[in-house]
Amino acid sequence: MDEDFELEESIWKKLFWIAFYAITAGVLLGLFTAISSPIKYVFSLVALYIAIKCFKRFSTWGPRISFIVSAIIVYFATALVIAIVVYMRDNPVPAG
């Protein structure tokens, strides 16, 4: 009985990890585009590290493509929220 049994990860656990990696990478890339100081490169490197961790964990095409697409969607959502907050901060609504 020298067979190697590899347990299949449940679909919910796989979805959780893909979502976690994608949300983290998307938010970090959104912060990378919004910040103008040199610290923004740290966000970029951490996002790259997260992507490498995700690609190591999932070796098939499906989860990797899901990660990339989800990270891009989260990035655009983060950039939109940041743009709205900056606009509202710079253009306050007059009282009354």
Side-chain angles (χ1 to χ4, degrees):
M1 300 216 138
D2 276 335
E3 297 179 33
D4 290 326
F5 289 106
E6 188 173 318
L7 294 176
E8 181 72 24
E9 223 176 7
S10 74
I11 189 71
W12 295 109
K13 188 174 180 183
K14 192 180 287 189
L15 284 174
F16 168 77
W17 281 110
I18 292 171
F20 173 75
Y21 288 136
I23 290 169
T24 306
V27 168
L28 288 169
L29 290 175
L31 291 173
F32 171 76
T33 59
I35 295 175
S36 60
S37 69
I39 195 75
K40 75 181 199 173
Y41 298 112
V42 173
F43 293 121
S44 174
L45 290 174
V46 174
L48 178 65
Y49 176 74
I50 294 293
I52 291 170
K53 292 287 283 186
C54 181
F55 275 42
K56 279 185 181 179
R57 184 178 185 105
F58 303 109
S59 60
T60 58
W61 283 95
R64 289 179 176 187
I65 292 172
S66 300
F67 163 73
I68 292 170
V69 170
S70 300
I72 291 170
I73 290 169
V74 171
Y75 160 70
F76 282 127
T78 303
L80 179 67
V81 168
I82 290 171
I84 290 170
V85 168
V86 168
Y87 179 80
M88 290 178 68
R89 184 192 64 200
D90 293 344
N91 301 306
V93 178

